[in-house]
Amino acid sequence: MTGRRGPGVVGRRALITGITGQDGSYLAELLLDEGYEVIGMVRRSSTVNFERIAGIQDRVTLVSGDLLDEVSLLEILREHRPHEVYNLAAQSFVQTSWSQPVLTGETTALGVTRLLDAIRMTDREIRFYQASSSEMFGKVSEVPQTESTSFHPRSPYGVAKVYGHWITVNYRESYGLHASSGMLFNHESPRRGLEFVTRKVTYGVARIKHGLQEKLALGNLTARRDWGYAPDYVRAMWLMCQQDVADDYVIATGDTHSVRELCEVAFGHVGLDWSDHVVIDDRFLRPAEVDLLVGDATKARTVLGWEPTVGFEDLVAGMVDADMALVGSRV
């Protein structure tokens, strides 16, 4: 591991946008364990769900702000003076980006510009992390994908993420900001939203096993993804902000599995045959599908000293166990 700051980060402050999401909650826990003061930005909305940060809510400072409102971002930066900013807020569901492409662009693309520009005007010493995505590769030109693989996004979400990625590079090169992007491949956990296919499957398995439903409707079963464990991936985010030089990194396991394999493992974990319960529903097929994503994280392993710690089958089994407990508690 090279380019790291000196030991001890006690007294450092970090701002996390999207703190109530899967990644935001795990990152907040990691930073608290590392001695940070954590500020979490949440939108002024009555629908914000604080469930994921319930266990740490009294240890973080929550502030109102919105990636659509640069003035709110400036106010937060000026009042709290963070040393690091992690931009995890976005319209982050690919399927929704087809029905809300303009909103996706405003938040997931232009929202990055607003935040970077607020940093430029407030404090250029802030270290910035941008949540880039494997969806930027889309219709892939090579397998596996690396930091130099060309982008060919296949959804409004992927297009917006490409913009967010390149504007981060642009502000790094134009203004000397310590701005890094993590090109993260799919990463899951029991905190994953129910709209994502991994959690949709594991939650569906739990409901079927508990006798609450018979069938699970899914889309493309042949799509293949590189699935890792979210807490591993947020550690990579933190490591990027500890380097002397900002850069971009692919974060991935290097293994790929199909949605069908996901179903086989998840249903099999509770003694069920997936083929008895899964049905194909055309409503869940994308207008343009991404067939195969698998990342090469050699650079992250070499420079950051990062390694994934949880394999695919253990990840799926852990998510099924968590959903079995969750559904069981409600029966």
Side-chain angles (χ1 to χ4, degrees):
M1 191 179 301
T2 61
R4 287 286 305 280
R5 290 177 177 172
V9 291
V10 175
R12 298 194 68 78
R13 287 182 303 282
L15 170 66
I16 303 173
T17 72
I19 192 172
T20 59
Q22 170 190 255
D23 291 5
S25 64
Y26 283 121
L27 178 62
E29 291 172 359
L30 182 151
L31 294 177
L32 288 170
D33 288 344
E34 292 288 345
Y36 281 72
E37 176 187 343
V38 176
I39 300 105
M41 190 182 88
V42 295
R43 284 178 298 152
R44 301 178 184 91
S45 168
S46 59
T47 60
V48 174
N49 183 350
F50 295 97
E51 180 180 352
R52 294 186 182 94
I53 60 169
I56 59 168
Q57 197 167 340
D58 61 342
R59 300 172 59 200
V60 302
T61 301
L62 296 180
V63 295
S64 293
D66 198 316
L67 291 180
L68 302 181
D69 177 12
E70 187 168 346
V71 172
S72 71
L73 305 177
L74 283 164
E75 290 175 348
I76 291 169
L77 293 177
R78 286 169 177 163
E79 179 177 353
H80 295 279
R81 295 290 175 178
H83 301 95
E84 297 169 9
V85 172
Y86 296 85
N87 183 38
L88 310 186
Q91 191 300 101
S92 59
F93 186 41
V94 173
Q95 194 73 28
T96 299
S97 76
W98 291 104
S99 59
Q100 296 182 305
V102 175
L103 176 63
T104 300
E106 284 285 357
T107 55
T108 309
L110 291 178
V112 186
T113 311
R114 295 184 187 100
L115 186 50
L116 283 166
D117 211 46
I119 290 171
R120 177 187 65 82
M121 290 187 282
T122 305
D123 180 2
R124 298 189 186 187
E125 294 303 309
I126 289 173
R127 297 192 171 197
F128 176 79
Y129 170 82
Q130 166 60 14
S132 289
S133 169
S134 59
E135 289 287 331
M136 300 187 305
F137 297 117
K139 187 176 181 180
V140 299
S141 59
E142 61 181 358
V143 178
Q145 292 87 57
T146 70
E147 291 80 8
S148 60
T149 301
S150 61
F151 298 142
H152 190 147
R154 299 271 280 174
S155 68
Y157 170 79
V159 172
K161 279 294 186 182
V162 169
Y163 178 99
H165 180 86
W166 280 118
I167 201 66
T168 301
V169 172
N170 183 259
Y171 269 66
R172 180 172 72 219
E173 294 178 350
S174 301
Y175 301 112
L177 298 187
H178 191 293
S180 297
S181 287
M183 302 152 84
L184 271 56
F185 282 65
N186 296 66
H187 46 287
E188 319 297 318
S189 76
R191 299 182 191 175
R192 193 58 142 153
L194 290 170
E195 67 272 25
F196 292 88
V197 68
T198 46
R199 185 73 194 290
K200 183 177 181 180
V201 168
T202 61
Y203 189 73
V205 165
R207 285 183 54 83
I208 290 169
K209 185 64 175 179
H210 281 290
L212 300 177
Q213 67 186 61
E214 282 289 324
K215 300 296 182 180
L216 177 63
L218 297 174
N220 182 7
L221 299 185
T222 62
R224 301 182 68 86
R225 294 291 183 272
D226 183 330
W227 279 301
Y229 184 45
D232 286 342
Y233 286 49
V234 301
R235 182 164 185 81
M237 300 175 188
W238 177 70
L239 288 170
M240 288 178 214
C241 284
Q242 310 317 304
Q243 305 307 305
D244 290 339
V245 178
D247 207 343
D248 307 320
Y249 298 87
V250 164
I251 304 299
T253 70
D255 293 323
T256 183
H257 301 273
S258 67
V259 177
R260 180 177 285 108
E261 290 176 73
L262 167 65
C263 293
E264 290 172 355
V265 174
F267 279 92
H269 187 63
V270 295
L272 296 176
D273 185 337
W274 73 274
S275 62
D276 293 335
H277 302 282
V278 173
V279 295
I280 305 301
D281 189 328
D282 290 345
R283 291 178 302 164
F284 301 119
L285 297 175
R286 300 180 184 178
E289 183 57 84
V290 175
D291 297 313
L292 171 62
L293 292 173
V294 56
D296 180 351
T298 298
K299 181 177 176 181
R301 295 171 191 266
T302 303
V303 179
L304 304 179
W306 179 84
E307 293 277 356
T309 66
V310 177
F312 175 72
E313 293 195 358
D314 288 340
L315 169 64
V316 176
M319 291 178 66
V320 171
D321 288 342
D323 277 329
M324 284 292 291
L326 176 63
V327 173
S329 70
R330 297 172 176 174
V331 175

PDB file of all heavy atoms in Angstrom, residues 129-149:
ATOM      1  N   TYR A 129     -14.525  12.054  -3.350  1.00  0.00           N
ATOM      2  CA  TYR A 129     -14.748  10.736  -3.949  1.00  0.00           C
ATOM      3  C   TYR A 129     -16.044  10.760  -4.733  1.00  0.00           C
ATOM      4  O   TYR A 129     -17.095  11.143  -4.212  1.00  0.00           O
ATOM      5  CB  TYR A 129     -14.843   9.641  -2.871  1.00  0.00           C
ATOM      6  CG  TYR A 129     -15.306   8.319  -3.467  1.00  0.00           C
ATOM      7  CD1 TYR A 129     -14.393   7.481  -4.091  1.00  0.00           C
ATOM      8  CD2 TYR A 129     -16.649   7.961  -3.454  1.00  0.00           C
ATOM      9  CE1 TYR A 129     -14.811   6.305  -4.682  1.00  0.00           C
ATOM     10  CE2 TYR A 129     -17.066   6.784  -4.037  1.00  0.00           C
ATOM     11  CZ  TYR A 129     -16.156   5.959  -4.662  1.00  0.00           C
ATOM     12  OH  TYR A 129     -16.574   4.802  -5.259  1.00  0.00           O
ATOM     13  N   GLN A 130     -15.990  10.309  -5.979  1.00  0.00           N
ATOM     14  CA  GLN A 130     -17.172  10.196  -6.820  1.00  0.00           C
ATOM     15  C   GLN A 130     -17.507   8.725  -7.041  1.00  0.00           C
ATOM     16  O   GLN A 130     -16.645   7.919  -7.408  1.00  0.00           O
ATOM     17  CB  GLN A 130     -16.947  10.881  -8.170  1.00  0.00           C
ATOM     18  CG  GLN A 130     -17.957  10.556  -9.255  1.00  0.00           C
ATOM     19  CD  GLN A 130     -19.393  10.937  -8.893  1.00  0.00           C
ATOM     20  OE1 GLN A 130     -19.636  11.681  -7.942  1.00  0.00           O
ATOM     21  NE2 GLN A 130     -20.341  10.425  -9.641  1.00  0.00           N
ATOM     22  N   ALA A 131     -18.778   8.399  -6.828  1.00  0.00           N
ATOM     23  CA  ALA A 131     -19.246   7.025  -7.032  1.00  0.00           C
ATOM     24  C   ALA A 131     -19.535   6.802  -8.510  1.00  0.00           C
ATOM     25  O   ALA A 131     -20.647   7.040  -8.986  1.00  0.00           O
ATOM     26  CB  ALA A 131     -20.487   6.764  -6.186  1.00  0.00           C
ATOM     27  N   SER A 132     -18.524   6.364  -9.245  1.00  0.00           N
ATOM     28  CA  SER A 132     -18.738   5.951 -10.631  1.00  0.00           C
ATOM     29  C   SER A 132     -19.277   4.526 -10.641  1.00  0.00           C
ATOM     30  O   SER A 132     -19.406   3.893  -9.599  1.00  0.00           O
ATOM     31  CB  SER A 132     -17.447   6.073 -11.434  1.00  0.00           C
ATOM     32  OG  SER A 132     -17.126   7.429 -11.658  1.00  0.00           O
ATOM     33  N   SER A 133     -19.578   4.001 -11.822  1.00  0.00           N
ATOM     34  CA  SER A 133     -20.316   2.736 -11.890  1.00  0.00           C
ATOM     35  C   SER A 133     -19.867   1.879 -13.063  1.00  0.00           C
ATOM     36  O   SER A 133     -19.506   2.390 -14.126  1.00  0.00           O
ATOM     37  CB  SER A 133     -21.813   3.032 -12.027  1.00  0.00           C
ATOM     38  OG  SER A 133     -22.549   1.862 -12.346  1.00  0.00           O
ATOM     39  N   SER A 134     -19.949   0.579 -12.883  1.00  0.00           N
ATOM     40  CA  SER A 134     -19.672  -0.348 -13.980  1.00  0.00           C
ATOM     41  C   SER A 134     -20.674  -0.196 -15.117  1.00  0.00           C
ATOM     42  O   SER A 134     -20.401  -0.606 -16.254  1.00  0.00           O
ATOM     43  CB  SER A 134     -19.690  -1.794 -13.472  1.00  0.00           C
ATOM     44  OG  SER A 134     -20.955  -2.118 -12.903  1.00  0.00           O
ATOM     45  N   GLU A 135     -21.845   0.398 -14.831  1.00  0.00           N
ATOM     46  CA  GLU A 135     -22.841   0.614 -15.887  1.00  0.00           C
ATOM     47  C   GLU A 135     -22.320   1.575 -16.952  1.00  0.00           C
ATOM     48  O   GLU A 135     -22.890   1.657 -18.048  1.00  0.00           O
ATOM     49  CB  GLU A 135     -24.138   1.152 -15.285  1.00  0.00           C
ATOM     50  CG  GLU A 135     -24.926   0.136 -14.467  1.00  0.00           C
ATOM     51  CD  GLU A 135     -25.614  -0.918 -15.328  1.00  0.00           C
ATOM     52  OE1 GLU A 135     -25.955  -0.612 -16.486  1.00  0.00           O
ATOM     53  OE2 GLU A 135     -25.801  -2.050 -14.835  1.00  0.00           O
ATOM     54  N   MET A 136     -21.241   2.294 -16.670  1.00  0.00           N
ATOM     55  CA  MET A 136     -20.644   3.169 -17.674  1.00  0.00           C
ATOM     56  C   MET A 136     -20.083   2.354 -18.845  1.00  0.00           C
ATOM     57  O   MET A 136     -20.054   2.820 -19.977  1.00  0.00           O
ATOM     58  CB  MET A 136     -19.527   4.014 -17.054  1.00  0.00           C
ATOM     59  CG  MET A 136     -19.989   4.911 -15.923  1.00  0.00           C
ATOM     60  SD  MET A 136     -18.715   6.057 -15.328  1.00  0.00           S
ATOM     61  CE  MET A 136     -17.359   4.955 -14.926  1.00  0.00           C
ATOM     62  N   PHE A 137     -19.640   1.136 -18.573  1.00  0.00           N
ATOM     63  CA  PHE A 137     -19.049   0.297 -19.627  1.00  0.00           C
ATOM     64  C   PHE A 137     -20.120  -0.236 -20.570  1.00  0.00           C
ATOM     65  O   PHE A 137     -19.895  -0.356 -21.771  1.00  0.00           O
ATOM     66  CB  PHE A 137     -18.250  -0.845 -19.012  1.00  0.00           C
ATOM     67  CG  PHE A 137     -17.082  -0.400 -18.192  1.00  0.00           C
ATOM     68  CD1 PHE A 137     -17.027  -0.676 -16.832  1.00  0.00           C
ATOM     69  CD2 PHE A 137     -16.042   0.305 -18.764  1.00  0.00           C
ATOM     70  CE1 PHE A 137     -15.951  -0.277 -16.060  1.00  0.00           C
ATOM     71  CE2 PHE A 137     -14.948   0.719 -18.004  1.00  0.00           C
ATOM     72  CZ  PHE A 137     -14.909   0.431 -16.645  1.00  0.00           C
ATOM     73  N   GLY A 138     -21.286  -0.582 -20.010  1.00  0.00           N
ATOM     74  CA  GLY A 138     -22.444  -0.956 -20.811  1.00  0.00           C
ATOM     75  C   GLY A 138     -22.189  -2.057 -21.816  1.00  0.00           C
ATOM     76  O   GLY A 138     -21.942  -3.209 -21.469  1.00  0.00           O
ATOM     77  N   LYS A 139     -22.239  -1.691 -23.098  1.00  0.00           N
ATOM     78  CA  LYS A 139     -21.954  -2.638 -24.182  1.00  0.00           C
ATOM     79  C   LYS A 139     -20.441  -2.745 -24.289  1.00  0.00           C
ATOM     80  O   LYS A 139     -19.782  -1.989 -24.997  1.00  0.00           O
ATOM     81  CB  LYS A 139     -22.561  -2.135 -25.489  1.00  0.00           C
ATOM     82  CG  LYS A 139     -22.479  -3.120 -26.633  1.00  0.00           C
ATOM     83  CD  LYS A 139     -23.199  -2.560 -27.861  1.00  0.00           C
ATOM     84  CE  LYS A 139     -23.138  -3.559 -29.016  1.00  0.00           C
ATOM     85  NZ  LYS A 139     -23.837  -3.018 -30.218  1.00  0.00           N
ATOM     86  N   VAL A 140     -19.889  -3.696 -23.564  1.00  0.00           N
ATOM     87  CA  VAL A 140     -18.453  -3.677 -23.289  1.00  0.00           C
ATOM     88  C   VAL A 140     -17.626  -3.964 -24.542  1.00  0.00           C
ATOM     89  O   VAL A 140     -18.012  -4.744 -25.410  1.00  0.00           O
ATOM     90  CB  VAL A 140     -18.080  -4.682 -22.167  1.00  0.00           C
ATOM     91  CG1 VAL A 140     -18.800  -4.316 -20.890  1.00  0.00           C
ATOM     92  CG2 VAL A 140     -18.396  -6.116 -22.574  1.00  0.00           C
ATOM     93  N   SER A 141     -16.468  -3.306 -24.599  1.00  0.00           N
ATOM     94  CA  SER A 141     -15.555  -3.473 -25.721  1.00  0.00           C
ATOM     95  C   SER A 141     -14.482  -4.509 -25.428  1.00  0.00           C
ATOM     96  O   SER A 141     -13.776  -4.944 -26.340  1.00  0.00           O
ATOM     97  CB  SER A 141     -14.898  -2.128 -26.061  1.00  0.00           C
ATOM     98  OG  SER A 141     -14.188  -1.616 -24.937  1.00  0.00           O
ATOM     99  N   GLU A 142     -14.341  -4.874 -24.144  1.00  0.00           N
ATOM    100  CA  GLU A 142     -13.366  -5.895 -23.772  1.00  0.00           C
ATOM    101  C   GLU A 142     -13.776  -6.514 -22.443  1.00  0.00           C
ATOM    102  O   GLU A 142     -14.522  -5.927 -21.670  1.00  0.00           O
ATOM    103  CB  GLU A 142     -11.964  -5.287 -23.662  1.00  0.00           C
ATOM    104  CG  GLU A 142     -11.833  -4.203 -22.610  1.00  0.00           C
ATOM    105  CD  GLU A 142     -10.438  -3.603 -22.554  1.00  0.00           C
ATOM    106  OE1 GLU A 142      -9.569  -4.074 -23.309  1.00  0.00           O
ATOM    107  OE2 GLU A 142     -10.206  -2.697 -21.740  1.00  0.00           O
ATOM    108  N   VAL A 143     -13.285  -7.724 -22.230  1.00  0.00           N
ATOM    109  CA  VAL A 143     -13.564  -8.456 -20.988  1.00  0.00           C
ATOM    110  C   VAL A 143     -12.250  -8.988 -20.436  1.00  0.00           C
ATOM    111  O   VAL A 143     -11.502  -9.643 -21.162  1.00  0.00           O
ATOM    112  CB  VAL A 143     -14.539  -9.626 -21.252  1.00  0.00           C
ATOM    113  CG1 VAL A 143     -14.793 -10.417 -19.970  1.00  0.00           C
ATOM    114  CG2 VAL A 143     -15.857  -9.112 -21.830  1.00  0.00           C
ATOM    115  N   PRO A 144     -11.941  -8.723 -19.143  1.00  0.00           N
ATOM    116  CA  PRO A 144     -12.700  -7.899 -18.200  1.00  0.00           C
ATOM    117  C   PRO A 144     -12.490  -6.410 -18.460  1.00  0.00           C
ATOM    118  O   PRO A 144     -11.680  -6.020 -19.303  1.00  0.00           O
ATOM    119  CB  PRO A 144     -12.115  -8.311 -16.850  1.00  0.00           C
ATOM    120  CG  PRO A 144     -10.685  -8.643 -17.165  1.00  0.00           C
ATOM    121  CD  PRO A 144     -10.725  -9.299 -18.517  1.00  0.00           C
ATOM    122  N   GLN A 145     -13.226  -5.583 -17.717  1.00  0.00           N
ATOM    123  CA  GLN A 145     -13.121  -4.139 -17.877  1.00  0.00           C
ATOM    124  C   GLN A 145     -12.096  -3.577 -16.881  1.00  0.00           C
ATOM    125  O   GLN A 145     -12.047  -3.981 -15.721  1.00  0.00           O
ATOM    126  CB  GLN A 145     -14.479  -3.481 -17.647  1.00  0.00           C
ATOM    127  CG  GLN A 145     -15.508  -3.802 -18.724  1.00  0.00           C
ATOM    128  CD  GLN A 145     -16.279  -5.094 -18.439  1.00  0.00           C
ATOM    129  OE1 GLN A 145     -16.899  -5.223 -17.385  1.00  0.00           O
ATOM    130  NE2 GLN A 145     -16.254  -6.042 -19.372  1.00  0.00           N
ATOM    131  N   THR A 146     -11.287  -2.634 -17.372  1.00  0.00           N
ATOM    132  CA  THR A 146     -10.268  -1.983 -16.560  1.00  0.00           C
ATOM    133  C   THR A 146     -10.516  -0.465 -16.580  1.00  0.00           C
ATOM    134  O   THR A 146     -11.468   0.014 -17.199  1.00  0.00           O
ATOM    135  CB  THR A 146      -8.858  -2.258 -17.093  1.00  0.00           C
ATOM    136  OG1 THR A 146      -8.686  -1.548 -18.338  1.00  0.00           O
ATOM    137  CG2 THR A 146      -8.633  -3.741 -17.338  1.00  0.00           C
ATOM    138  N   GLU A 147      -9.618   0.261 -15.937  1.00  0.00           N
ATOM    139  CA  GLU A 147      -9.746   1.720 -15.901  1.00  0.00           C
ATOM    140  C   GLU A 147      -9.648   2.344 -17.297  1.00  0.00           C
ATOM    141  O   GLU A 147     -10.138   3.454 -17.518  1.00  0.00           O
ATOM    142  CB  GLU A 147      -8.661   2.321 -14.998  1.00  0.00           C
ATOM    143  CG  GLU A 147      -8.829   2.020 -13.515  1.00  0.00           C
ATOM    144  CD  GLU A 147      -8.352   0.631 -13.118  1.00  0.00           C
ATOM    145  OE1 GLU A 147      -7.741  -0.068 -13.968  1.00  0.00           O
ATOM    146  OE2 GLU A 147      -8.574   0.247 -11.946  1.00  0.00           O
ATOM    147  N   SER A 148      -9.026   1.657 -18.234  1.00  0.00           N
ATOM    148  CA  SER A 148      -8.840   2.214 -19.575  1.00  0.00           C
ATOM    149  C   SER A 148      -9.863   1.703 -20.588  1.00  0.00           C
ATOM    150  O   SER A 148      -9.819   2.108 -21.763  1.00  0.00           O
ATOM    151  CB  SER A 148      -7.426   1.899 -20.080  1.00  0.00           C
ATOM    152  OG  SER A 148      -7.221   0.500 -20.146  1.00  0.00           O
ATOM    153  N   THR A 149     -10.778   0.846 -20.178  1.00  0.00           N
ATOM    154  CA  THR A 149     -11.812   0.343 -21.083  1.00  0.00           C
ATOM    155  C   THR A 149     -12.739   1.493 -21.494  1.00  0.00           C
ATOM    156  O   THR A 149     -13.127   2.316 -20.669  1.00  0.00           O
ATOM    157  CB  THR A 149     -12.644  -0.761 -20.404  1.00  0.00           C
ATOM    158  OG1 THR A 149     -11.775  -1.833 -20.022  1.00  0.00           O
ATOM    159  CG2 THR A 149     -13.717  -1.299 -21.339  1.00  0.00           C
TER     160      THR A 149
END
